[in-house]
Amino acid sequence: MSKAVALAVVLFLVVLSGQCYGELRVGFYKGKCGQTDVEGVVRRVVKTWFFTKDKTIAAALLRMQFHDCFVNGCDASILLDGDNSEKKAIANKSVRGYELIDAIKEGLEAECEGLVSCADIISMATRDAVLLSEGKWYNVETGRRDGNVSFASNVNLPGPSISVSDSIKAFASKKLTPTDMVYLLGGHTVGIAHCSLIQDRLYNFNNTGGPDPTMSKWLLFGLRMKCPRGSSFDNIVPLDVKTPSFVDNSFFQQIQRGNGVLQIDQQIALDELTKDIVDGIVKGPDFYTKFGEAMVKLGKVEVLIDAQGEVRKSCRVVNKKPFIFGMIN
């Protein structure tokens, strides 16, 4: 049997097995696991985790989804273990939430083995954590499949000191608009940063020997108290100085007042390319709707569907490929 014929046989078997469903859509898993509500299983595990282990899990999952989707697309490649996997990249060292994803996957495998992708679990779990953090519900499209490539060298994420124009270009490369970018940065409403990321803004901005002049005096005083010069402890600070535990639009209100902790956060409120977007979010009534829409668009970045990729049995390792007679000449 030639390789081409063998591949055709594999694809035919995939279709027969019910693993080929088409593009992303809301309710993708409905009716595919008997009476089991797949999204309900995810929601129950996230809720239990939130109330018994970690009420800051929304921040972790928002970051995980962003870091996953911006590298190879939303394919759960960030979940793969390995000496040189994406997890090992410097930008991903502080990404967390892997154990929650494992718990969700274990629960789903017990109910409907081999059905739900790890990539979909990230999207569903993030939405549920946002809701538990006083955010609002948004419908998650599902139907992603998992990738099998994960290299630390592929990780090239926009950093906290990136310019607004360069950030817009980075998001545009993923088919996301400046408005999408601003709303997605709004996920920082529950985020945190280590002092090491903002030391330059506090003490030696652009080698001037002084602080970033765009930072309010109130914020500067507070951050210098938490992040003293030369400290041996890399403390953490909230990115939303008003309501750091809630998904809301107070983050945008604060950056308008000069209370943006990260340089890019502050700059989107000042730069002519994004200032009007921030103003509209603060004045408008639809932050939650637009934030959900931006998250849905993020979740579509370079996804694998149909016979592409696989549905991992464990989110940490790729599946073992079955031997098919005739594939090796």
Side-chain angles (χ1 to χ4, degrees), residues 109-139:
E109 285 294 300
E111 294 282 344
C112 32
E113 183 178 357
L115 177 67
V116 185
S117 70
C118 301
D120 278 343
I121 290 173
I122 292 175
S123 290
M124 290 185 285
T126 300
R127 184 269 314 278
D128 295 336
V130 165
L131 184 65
L132 288 167
S133 300
E134 305 298 323
K136 302 297 182 183
W137 176 271
Y138 56 91
N139 287 320

mmCIF file of all heavy atoms in Angstrom, residues 109-139:
data_model
loop_
_atom_site.group_PDB
_atom_site.id
_atom_site.type_symbol
_atom_site.label_atom_id
_atom_site.label_comp_id
_atom_site.label_asym_id
_atom_site.label_seq_id
_atom_site.Cartn_x
_atom_site.Cartn_y
_atom_site.Cartn_z
ATOM 1 N N GLU A 109 -12.377 12.715 30.178
ATOM 2 C CA GLU A 109 -11.987 11.400 29.661
ATOM 3 C C GLU A 109 -12.802 10.291 30.324
ATOM 4 O O GLU A 109 -13.114 9.280 29.697
ATOM 5 C CB GLU A 109 -10.492 11.174 29.873
ATOM 6 C CG GLU A 109 -9.594 11.956 28.919
ATOM 7 C CD GLU A 109 -9.745 11.516 27.480
ATOM 8 O OE1 GLU A 109 -9.491 10.340 27.170
ATOM 9 O OE2 GLU A 109 -10.132 12.372 26.649
ATOM 10 N N ALA A 110 -13.142 10.492 31.586
ATOM 11 C CA ALA A 110 -13.948 9.489 32.295
ATOM 12 C C ALA A 110 -15.368 9.421 31.735
ATOM 13 O O ALA A 110 -16.011 8.363 31.759
ATOM 14 C CB ALA A 110 -13.988 9.817 33.784
ATOM 15 N N GLU A 111 -15.847 10.554 31.223
ATOM 16 C CA GLU A 111 -17.214 10.621 30.702
ATOM 17 C C GLU A 111 -17.281 10.289 29.215
ATOM 18 O O GLU A 111 -18.216 9.630 28.757
ATOM 19 C CB GLU A 111 -17.793 12.028 30.933
ATOM 20 C CG GLU A 111 -17.986 12.402 32.385
ATOM 21 C CD GLU A 111 -19.218 11.771 32.993
ATOM 22 O OE1 GLU A 111 -20.090 11.300 32.222
ATOM 23 O OE2 GLU A 111 -19.318 11.728 34.234
ATOM 24 N N CYS A 112 -16.329 10.790 28.450
ATOM 25 C CA CYS A 112 -16.375 10.619 26.995
ATOM 26 C C CYS A 112 -14.944 10.578 26.463
ATOM 27 O O CYS A 112 -14.402 11.607 26.054
ATOM 28 C CB CYS A 112 -17.177 11.729 26.334
ATOM 29 S SG CYS A 112 -17.117 13.336 27.152
ATOM 30 N N GLU A 113 -14.380 9.404 26.489
ATOM 31 C CA GLU A 113 -12.973 9.211 26.167
ATOM 32 C C GLU A 113 -12.646 9.661 24.749
ATOM 33 O O GLU A 113 -13.354 9.344 23.787
ATOM 34 C CB GLU A 113 -12.604 7.734 26.332
ATOM 35 C CG GLU A 113 -11.136 7.426 26.099
ATOM 36 C CD GLU A 113 -10.821 5.962 26.324
ATOM 37 O OE1 GLU A 113 -11.722 5.197 26.711
ATOM 38 O OE2 GLU A 113 -9.642 5.582 26.096
ATOM 39 N N GLY A 114 -11.555 10.425 24.628
ATOM 40 C CA GLY A 114 -11.049 10.810 23.323
ATOM 41 C C GLY A 114 -11.895 11.797 22.552
ATOM 42 O O GLY A 114 -11.703 11.957 21.346
ATOM 43 N N LEU A 115 -12.786 12.507 23.215
ATOM 44 C CA LEU A 115 -13.705 13.399 22.505
ATOM 45 C C LEU A 115 -13.297 14.865 22.551
ATOM 46 O O LEU A 115 -13.286 15.557 21.534
ATOM 47 C CB LEU A 115 -15.123 13.258 23.084
ATOM 48 C CG LEU A 115 -16.177 14.188 22.475
ATOM 49 C CD1 LEU A 115 -16.440 13.821 21.016
ATOM 50 C CD2 LEU A 115 -17.478 14.134 23.285
ATOM 51 N N VAL A 116 -12.945 15.365 23.729
ATOM 52 C CA VAL A 116 -12.773 16.806 23.928
ATOM 53 C C VAL A 116 -11.296 17.182 23.872
ATOM 54 O O VAL A 116 -10.473 16.654 24.616
ATOM 55 C CB VAL A 116 -13.377 17.254 25.278
ATOM 56 C CG1 VAL A 116 -13.299 18.774 25.417
ATOM 57 C CG2 VAL A 116 -14.833 16.792 25.384
ATOM 58 N N SER A 117 -10.973 18.125 23.003
ATOM 59 C CA SER A 117 -9.579 18.538 22.851
ATOM 60 C C SER A 117 -9.129 19.405 24.021
ATOM 61 O O SER A 117 -9.927 20.097 24.663
ATOM 62 C CB SER A 117 -9.392 19.320 21.551
ATOM 63 O OG SER A 117 -10.019 20.594 21.629
ATOM 64 N N CYS A 118 -7.836 19.387 24.261
ATOM 65 C CA CYS A 118 -7.256 20.231 25.307
ATOM 66 C C CYS A 118 -7.367 21.704 24.919
ATOM 67 O O CYS A 118 -7.524 22.575 25.786
ATOM 68 C CB CYS A 118 -5.799 19.849 25.522
ATOM 69 S SG CYS A 118 -5.564 18.118 25.999
ATOM 70 N N ALA A 119 -7.288 21.986 23.617
ATOM 71 C CA ALA A 119 -7.417 23.363 23.145
ATOM 72 C C ALA A 119 -8.796 23.921 23.478
ATOM 73 O O ALA A 119 -8.937 25.079 23.896
ATOM 74 C CB ALA A 119 -7.166 23.427 21.644
ATOM 75 N N ASP A 120 -9.832 23.102 23.313
ATOM 76 C CA ASP A 120 -11.183 23.538 23.670
ATOM 77 C C ASP A 120 -11.332 23.700 25.182
ATOM 78 O O ASP A 120 -12.035 24.593 25.657
ATOM 79 C CB ASP A 120 -12.219 22.539 23.154
ATOM 80 C CG ASP A 120 -12.566 22.749 21.691
ATOM 81 O OD1 ASP A 120 -12.261 23.835 21.154
ATOM 82 O OD2 ASP A 120 -13.147 21.828 21.084
ATOM 83 N N ILE A 121 -10.678 22.838 25.932
ATOM 84 C CA ILE A 121 -10.756 22.932 27.391
ATOM 85 C C ILE A 121 -10.212 24.277 27.866
ATOM 86 O O ILE A 121 -10.801 24.916 28.746
ATOM 87 C CB ILE A 121 -9.976 21.771 28.056
ATOM 88 C CG1 ILE A 121 -10.717 20.452 27.830
ATOM 89 C CG2 ILE A 121 -9.802 22.022 29.558
ATOM 90 C CD1 ILE A 121 -9.948 19.227 28.297
ATOM 91 N N ILE A 122 -9.108 24.725 27.286
ATOM 92 C CA ILE A 122 -8.551 26.024 27.679
ATOM 93 C C ILE A 122 -9.576 27.126 27.459
ATOM 94 O O ILE A 122 -9.807 27.968 28.335
ATOM 95 C CB ILE A 122 -7.259 26.326 26.887
ATOM 96 C CG1 ILE A 122 -6.142 25.376 27.286
ATOM 97 C CG2 ILE A 122 -6.818 27.779 27.128
ATOM 98 C CD1 ILE A 122 -4.859 25.543 26.460
ATOM 99 N N SER A 123 -10.211 27.142 26.291
ATOM 100 C CA SER A 123 -11.174 28.198 25.974
ATOM 101 C C SER A 123 -12.392 28.155 26.888
ATOM 102 O O SER A 123 -12.855 29.194 27.373
ATOM 103 C CB SER A 123 -11.621 28.084 24.513
ATOM 104 O OG SER A 123 -10.575 28.424 23.643
ATOM 105 N N MET A 124 -12.917 26.960 27.123
ATOM 106 C CA MET A 124 -14.110 26.837 27.983
ATOM 107 C C MET A 124 -13.786 27.183 29.430
ATOM 108 O O MET A 124 -14.547 27.893 30.100
ATOM 109 C CB MET A 124 -14.681 25.420 27.878
ATOM 110 C CG MET A 124 -15.312 25.105 26.538
ATOM 111 S SD MET A 124 -16.117 23.462 26.490
ATOM 112 C CE MET A 124 -14.691 22.360 26.379
ATOM 113 N N ALA A 125 -12.667 26.684 29.923
ATOM 114 C CA ALA A 125 -12.291 26.931 31.317
ATOM 115 C C ALA A 125 -12.022 28.413 31.561
ATOM 116 O O ALA A 125 -12.384 28.955 32.613
ATOM 117 C CB ALA A 125 -11.060 26.106 31.683
ATOM 118 N N THR A 126 -11.401 29.080 30.582
ATOM 119 C CA THR A 126 -11.126 30.508 30.724
ATOM 120 C C THR A 126 -12.431 31.283 30.840
ATOM 121 O O THR A 126 -12.570 32.159 31.706
ATOM 122 C CB THR A 126 -10.304 31.019 29.534
ATOM 123 O OG1 THR A 126 -9.071 30.301 29.476
ATOM 124 C CG2 THR A 126 -10.018 32.495 29.668
ATOM 125 N N ARG A 127 -13.382 30.993 29.955
ATOM 126 C CA ARG A 127 -14.681 31.660 30.016
ATOM 127 C C ARG A 127 -15.355 31.457 31.379
ATOM 128 O O ARG A 127 -15.885 32.398 31.981
ATOM 129 C CB ARG A 127 -15.560 31.139 28.891
ATOM 130 C CG ARG A 127 -16.928 31.821 28.752
ATOM 131 C CD ARG A 127 -18.045 31.131 29.568
ATOM 132 N NE ARG A 127 -18.060 29.703 29.422
ATOM 133 C CZ ARG A 127 -18.625 29.042 28.386
ATOM 134 N NH1 ARG A 127 -19.185 29.711 27.407
ATOM 135 N NH2 ARG A 127 -18.599 27.717 28.357
ATOM 136 N N ASP A 128 -15.319 30.236 31.892
ATOM 137 C CA ASP A 128 -15.972 29.942 33.166
ATOM 138 C C ASP A 128 -15.283 30.654 34.325
ATOM 139 O O ASP A 128 -15.937 31.118 35.261
ATOM 140 C CB ASP A 128 -15.996 28.432 33.407
ATOM 141 C CG ASP A 128 -16.852 27.699 32.381
ATOM 142 O OD1 ASP A 128 -17.753 28.337 31.796
ATOM 143 O OD2 ASP A 128 -16.608 26.505 32.142
ATOM 144 N N ALA A 129 -13.953 30.764 34.260
ATOM 145 C CA ALA A 129 -13.219 31.470 35.315
ATOM 146 C C ALA A 129 -13.507 32.969 35.268
ATOM 147 O O ALA A 129 -13.604 33.623 36.306
ATOM 148 C CB ALA A 129 -11.720 31.215 35.176
ATOM 149 N N VAL A 130 -13.640 33.519 34.058
ATOM 150 C CA VAL A 130 -14.012 34.932 33.907
ATOM 151 C C VAL A 130 -15.367 35.180 34.555
ATOM 152 O O VAL A 130 -15.574 36.166 35.275
ATOM 153 C CB VAL A 130 -14.034 35.329 32.414
ATOM 154 C CG1 VAL A 130 -14.769 36.652 32.208
ATOM 155 C CG2 VAL A 130 -12.617 35.417 31.875
ATOM 156 N N LEU A 131 -16.312 34.296 34.310
ATOM 157 C CA LEU A 131 -17.656 34.439 34.884
ATOM 158 C C LEU A 131 -17.608 34.407 36.409
ATOM 159 O O LEU A 131 -18.276 35.208 37.081
ATOM 160 C CB LEU A 131 -18.557 33.319 34.362
ATOM 161 C CG LEU A 131 -20.025 33.365 34.791
ATOM 162 C CD1 LEU A 131 -20.713 34.605 34.209
ATOM 163 C CD2 LEU A 131 -20.758 32.105 34.338
ATOM 164 N N LEU A 132 -16.808 33.527 36.975
ATOM 165 C CA LEU A 132 -16.694 33.421 38.430
ATOM 166 C C LEU A 132 -15.995 34.633 39.034
ATOM 167 O O LEU A 132 -16.135 34.896 40.231
ATOM 168 C CB LEU A 132 -15.931 32.144 38.791
ATOM 169 C CG LEU A 132 -16.688 30.831 38.563
ATOM 170 C CD1 LEU A 132 -15.742 29.641 38.648
ATOM 171 C CD2 LEU A 132 -17.821 30.674 39.579
ATOM 172 N N SER A 133 -15.269 35.371 38.214
ATOM 173 C CA SER A 133 -14.559 36.563 38.686
ATOM 174 C C SER A 133 -15.354 37.836 38.398
ATOM 175 O O SER A 133 -14.775 38.899 38.161
ATOM 176 C CB SER A 133 -13.172 36.632 38.045
ATOM 177 O OG SER A 133 -12.407 35.487 38.389
ATOM 178 N N GLU A 134 -16.673 37.710 38.418
ATOM 179 C CA GLU A 134 -17.595 38.835 38.231
ATOM 180 C C GLU A 134 -17.645 39.350 36.799
ATOM 181 O O GLU A 134 -18.173 40.435 36.535
ATOM 182 C CB GLU A 134 -17.261 39.992 39.182
ATOM 183 C CG GLU A 134 -17.212 39.603 40.650
ATOM 184 C CD GLU A 134 -18.551 39.089 41.164
ATOM 185 O OE1 GLU A 134 -19.592 39.610 40.737
ATOM 186 O OE2 GLU A 134 -18.546 38.149 41.999
ATOM 187 N N GLY A 135 -17.096 38.573 35.866
ATOM 188 C CA GLY A 135 -17.274 38.913 34.469
ATOM 189 C C GLY A 135 -18.630 38.425 33.993
ATOM 190 O O GLY A 135 -19.458 37.985 34.787
ATOM 191 N N LYS A 136 -18.851 38.492 32.696
ATOM 192 C CA LYS A 136 -20.129 38.066 32.126
ATOM 193 C C LYS A 136 -19.921 36.894 31.177
ATOM 194 O O LYS A 136 -18.847 36.695 30.613
ATOM 195 C CB LYS A 136 -20.795 39.225 31.375
ATOM 196 C CG LYS A 136 -21.041 40.468 32.233
ATOM 197 C CD LYS A 136 -21.994 40.194 33.381
ATOM 198 C CE LYS A 136 -22.249 41.476 34.181
ATOM 199 N NZ LYS A 136 -23.111 41.248 35.350
ATOM 200 N N TRP A 137 -20.992 36.140 30.991
ATOM 201 C CA TRP A 137 -20.970 34.967 30.128
ATOM 202 C C TRP A 137 -20.756 35.356 28.675
ATOM 203 O O TRP A 137 -21.294 36.350 28.195
ATOM 204 C CB TRP A 137 -22.293 34.219 30.270
ATOM 205 C CG TRP A 137 -22.447 33.028 29.372
ATOM 206 C CD1 TRP A 137 -22.954 33.003 28.113
ATOM 207 C CD2 TRP A 137 -22.086 31.676 29.681
ATOM 208 N NE1 TRP A 137 -22.940 31.732 27.610
ATOM 209 C CE2 TRP A 137 -22.419 30.895 28.554
ATOM 210 C CE3 TRP A 137 -21.530 31.057 30.809
ATOM 211 C CZ2 TRP A 137 -22.198 29.523 28.519
ATOM 212 C CZ3 TRP A 137 -21.319 29.685 30.761
ATOM 213 C CH2 TRP A 137 -21.651 28.934 29.638
ATOM 214 N N TYR A 138 -19.968 34.590 27.962
ATOM 215 C CA TYR A 138 -19.910 34.686 26.510
ATOM 216 C C TYR A 138 -19.854 33.270 25.951
ATOM 217 O O TYR A 138 -19.270 32.367 26.557
ATOM 218 C CB TYR A 138 -18.719 35.523 26.025
ATOM 219 C CG TYR A 138 -17.351 35.071 26.491
ATOM 220 C CD1 TYR A 138 -16.582 34.178 25.741
ATOM 221 C CD2 TYR A 138 -16.800 35.565 27.678
ATOM 222 C CE1 TYR A 138 -15.319 33.775 26.153
ATOM 223 C CE2 TYR A 138 -15.526 35.169 28.100
ATOM 224 C CZ TYR A 138 -14.792 34.283 27.333
ATOM 225 O OH TYR A 138 -13.551 33.883 27.741
ATOM 226 N N ASN A 139 -20.502 33.056 24.823
ATOM 227 C CA ASN A 139 -20.546 31.732 24.223
ATOM 228 C C ASN A 139 -19.197 31.384 23.619
ATOM 229 O O ASN A 139 -18.635 32.173 22.856
ATOM 230 C CB ASN A 139 -21.624 31.661 23.140
ATOM 231 C CG ASN A 139 -23.024 31.650 23.723
ATOM 232 O OD1 ASN A 139 -23.274 31.013 24.739
ATOM 233 N ND2 ASN A 139 -23.937 32.368 23.088
#
